[in-house]
Every structure is written in C-alpha cells, then in structure tokens.
Amino acid sequence: MGAEQRETQAIEQFVKRASDLEGSSLVDLIIQATSHSSLFAFSEILAVPSVVELHGTQYSVYIDLLRLFAHGTWRDYKSHAGFLPELVPDQVLKLKQLSILTLAEKNKVLSYYQLMQELDISNVRELEDFLINECINAVQFAAGRDLRPGTLVSLIQTLTNWLSTSDKMLLTIKEMIDQADRMKELDKEHQKEVEEKIELAKKFLQNKQPRIKLGPLEDIDMLYMDEVMSSRELGTHSKRYHISNTLHISWSTNYAHLFTLAQDYTMYFHYMDKEMT
C-alpha cells in the first residue's frame, strides 16, 4: 500500500472513531492522530461534529492543538506552549515534519540556518540526521498540509490565473502551427515555380543548339554533321570535299561561332532573370 493510501485510510479510521466518541474520549484520539506517522492532514477530523462540540469545554485546548497540527508550525507551538498541552516525542517529531512542509511552500531554497532556527535544532549534524531519517526516508510522497481558513479564495485565484496563462499559451502555439502550415504551402508553391522554370530553361536550351558553318556552300547543324559526313549518297570526291571544308574552318569563323554561343547564353540568362522576377 502506498503512502497516500495509508494516509487516506488513517483519516477515514480516525473520522469514524471520532464520530462515535465524545468528551474526554476524544482527547486520546487527538493525541493518537497528531502522533500518527502516516497522517499529515487533520481538517477532516476537525470537522467531525463531536470534535467541534469540544469548544467551550475543559477539553477545548485539544481542538487548538489539533488546529495547530493542521495549520501551525513548531515556532507557533513554542510561542503558545503555555496555552497548549505538552507534546509527547512523536507529536514533536510530527510537528517539525509539518513545519518543513510549510517552509517548503513559501521558499524554493531552505538554508541550514533557517531550518535550525525554525526547528530549534542546535547543530548541523542533528539537522542532517533529522532531514535524512525523519523527512526524506519517512515522507516518501509529496505530502501537503490543510488549507488555512481564508486561503481557498487565494488558491482559486491562483489557479484561475494559471488557467488563463495556459489558454494564452495554447493560443500562441496554435498561431505558430498555423504560421508553419502557411510557410509550408508557400514553400510548395515556390518549389513548383522553380521546377516550371527549370523545364522552361531546358526547352530554351533545346531550341538554341549551336551551329557550325562548313564552308560557303551549306550551314549544317552540328548534331547531324556525322550523319552527313557518313552518308552513303556521297561519293569519294564529295566526302573528301566535306572533310576538306571541315578541316579548313577559318579562325575567324570559329571566333564568330563562339561569339554566337556567348550571345545565346546571354539571352538565356536575361530570359531566366525576367522569368524569376
């Protein structure tokens, strides 16, 4: 059985027993409850009608004692010890454990000096032994204390603020997701445009094949030159003529050809710049 289950079971048992008792019989029950190792909440016992009826009787100090364990600390007990029953060792241990819970609610970091002052411990070794043996090992779950009267409104407001902040954060996250989806669609459109422009560039290059001028008689496409040169219809004399024309391309013709190629590629880059813009 887990620690929380043990505490719940102990509360139920004490509430049931308190409902069947009255007067002086409740004193022993309150002492047992405030000494119980698994019990850290006492508001349910305080709400039992027979316990409430102790007000105004000779046992009313035990209601104050029970309320001290529900909301107070060891320092509070030291300040009002003259008006409260003397504590047994198990009650002292329990109240100091509860005091640490209260300190932890208000401070993220607890110094040794602060703890020694609050728990009335004189040296570090004693404090460390208490923390290790009676807090870390003894309290094996996130124990909490009873709410003080009037703190429920503040707690509700804190939770309401937290809920509002969470809603705003969720809205911001949703907006970021929507923005990411829009950017994804824009990227797809851009990729499609780039692919279309690549296809246009391919078609442009296919329509701009370089040409070689083979003498004064004809202008033959370079891609089909081999086919023309090896055509069966050409006789020996004709082949020799074409080979001769091919081998005697003048330097001026070559330069003119290179200049034409440069013009073609310049036109292509201007064309692509216009398409991109």
Side-chain angles (χ1 to χ4, degrees), residues 7-69:
E7 182 180 30
T8 300
Q9 188 178 63
I11 291 173
E12 292 175 351
Q13 291 175 353
F14 279 112
V15 168
K16 183 178 180 180
R17 288 174 55 193
S19 300
D20 298 332
L21 299 174
E22 60 181 14
S24 61
S25 301
L26 289 170
V27 173
D28 291 336
L29 182 140
I30 292 174
I31 294 174
Q32 292 175 18
T34 53
S35 303
H36 199 283
S37 60
S38 299
L39 198 58
F40 292 88
F42 306 90
S43 58
E44 289 88 347
I45 302 174
L46 277 168
V48 174
S50 59
V51 175
V52 175
E53 291 174 359
L54 291 178
H55 280 293
T57 68
Q58 57 181 332
Y59 307 111
S60 60
V61 291
Y62 286 95
I63 295 181
D64 297 333
L65 179 66
L66 192 57
R67 189 175 293 111
L68 173 71
F69 275 79

Side-chain angles (χ1 to χ4, degrees), residues 44-148:
E44 289 88 347
I45 302 174
L46 277 168
V48 174
S50 59
V51 175
V52 175
E53 291 174 359
L54 291 178
H55 280 293
T57 68
Q58 57 181 332
Y59 307 111
S60 60
V61 291
Y62 286 95
I63 295 181
D64 297 333
L65 179 66
L66 192 57
R67 189 175 293 111
L68 173 71
F69 275 79
H71 311 298
T73 63
W74 175 253
R75 180 186 286 271
D76 295 331
Y77 173 75
K78 296 287 287 185
S79 300
H80 301 87
F83 305 96
L84 295 169
E86 185 177 355
L87 302 182
V88 299
D90 287 340
Q91 287 177 310
V92 172
L93 173 61
K94 173 61 63 178
L95 189 55
K96 288 185 177 182
Q97 289 176 326
L98 293 169
S99 299
I100 291 180
L101 292 178
T102 297
L103 291 172
E105 290 175 358
K106 300 176 181 178
N107 304 277
K108 293 183 179 180
V109 178
L110 298 175
S111 66
Y112 275 20
Y113 176 79
Q114 182 183 11
L115 289 172
M116 287 190 293
Q117 291 292 317
E118 293 290 337
L119 302 178
D120 199 20
I121 294 177
S122 58
N123 60 76
V124 172
R125 178 58 183 273
E126 183 182 353
L127 174 63
E128 290 180 341
D129 289 343
F130 173 77
L131 294 174
I132 294 172
N133 298 325
E134 307 301 343
C135 295
I136 297 177
N137 293 334
V139 183
Q140 299 179 357
F141 70 106
R145 300 201 65 180
D146 299 292
L147 291 176
R148 292 177 178 271

Side-chain angles (χ1 to χ4, degrees), residues 46-277:
L46 277 168
V48 174
S50 59
V51 175
V52 175
E53 291 174 359
L54 291 178
H55 280 293
T57 68
Q58 57 181 332
Y59 307 111
S60 60
V61 291
Y62 286 95
I63 295 181
D64 297 333
L65 179 66
L66 192 57
R67 189 175 293 111
L68 173 71
F69 275 79
H71 311 298
T73 63
W74 175 253
R75 180 186 286 271
D76 295 331
Y77 173 75
K78 296 287 287 185
S79 300
H80 301 87
F83 305 96
L84 295 169
E86 185 177 355
L87 302 182
V88 299
D90 287 340
Q91 287 177 310
V92 172
L93 173 61
K94 173 61 63 178
L95 189 55
K96 288 185 177 182
Q97 289 176 326
L98 293 169
S99 299
I100 291 180
L101 292 178
T102 297
L103 291 172
E105 290 175 358
K106 300 176 181 178
N107 304 277
K108 293 183 179 180
V109 178
L110 298 175
S111 66
Y112 275 20
Y113 176 79
Q114 182 183 11
L115 289 172
M116 287 190 293
Q117 291 292 317
E118 293 290 337
L119 302 178
D120 199 20
I121 294 177
S122 58
N123 60 76
V124 172
R125 178 58 183 273
E126 183 182 353
L127 174 63
E128 290 180 341
D129 289 343
F130 173 77
L131 294 174
I132 294 172
N133 298 325
E134 307 301 343
C135 295
I136 297 177
N137 293 334
V139 183
Q140 299 179 357
F141 70 106
R145 300 201 65 180
D146 299 292
L147 291 176
R148 292 177 178 271
T151 58
L152 185 59
V153 175
S154 175
L155 179 60
I156 292 174
Q157 184 60 47
T158 300
L159 293 175
T160 301
N161 294 339
W162 174 83
L163 180 61
S164 176
T165 302
S166 299
D167 289 339
K168 291 179 182 178
M169 183 178 296
L170 289 175
L171 181 61
T172 301
I173 293 173
K174 184 179 182 302
E175 291 175 351
M176 294 174 66
I177 293 174
D178 292 341
Q179 177 67 17
D181 291 338
R182 289 193 294 270
M183 292 299 296
K184 182 179 179 181
E185 292 300 322
L186 290 175
D187 288 342
K188 287 183 179 179
E189 293 178 4
H190 178 69
Q191 182 178 0
K192 183 178 179 181
E193 291 178 0
V194 170
E195 291 174 353
E196 290 176 351
K197 290 173 182 177
I198 290 174
E199 291 299 321
L200 288 174
K202 289 180 179 179
K203 292 179 181 178
F204 179 86
L205 292 176
Q206 288 174 356
N207 295 330
K208 285 291 182 179
Q209 294 291 344
R211 305 177 68 82
I212 294 180
K213 201 172 184 76
L214 300 177
L217 297 180
E218 54 184 333
D219 190 9
I220 302 177
D221 194 309
M222 186 177 69
L223 296 178
Y224 303 101
M225 185 172 64
D226 290 339
E227 180 180 351
V228 173
M229 297 299 295
S230 60
S231 174
R232 294 180 180 181
E233 296 179 359
L234 294 175
T236 303
H237 177 75
S238 297
K239 290 181 179 181
R240 187 177 298 122
Y241 173 81
H242 284 285
I243 293 172
S244 175
N245 274 282
T246 303
L247 295 176
H248 289 86
I249 297 175
S250 66
W251 284 102
S252 61
T253 303
N254 284 335
Y255 281 128
H257 171 60
L258 292 175
F259 180 74
T260 302
L261 288 178
Q263 284 184 321
D264 289 343
Y265 284 113
T266 301
M267 291 172 60
Y268 165 70
F269 286 123
H270 282 304
Y271 172 79
M272 290 304 296
D273 286 341
K274 182 178 180 181
E275 289 294 323
M276 293 294 288
T277 56

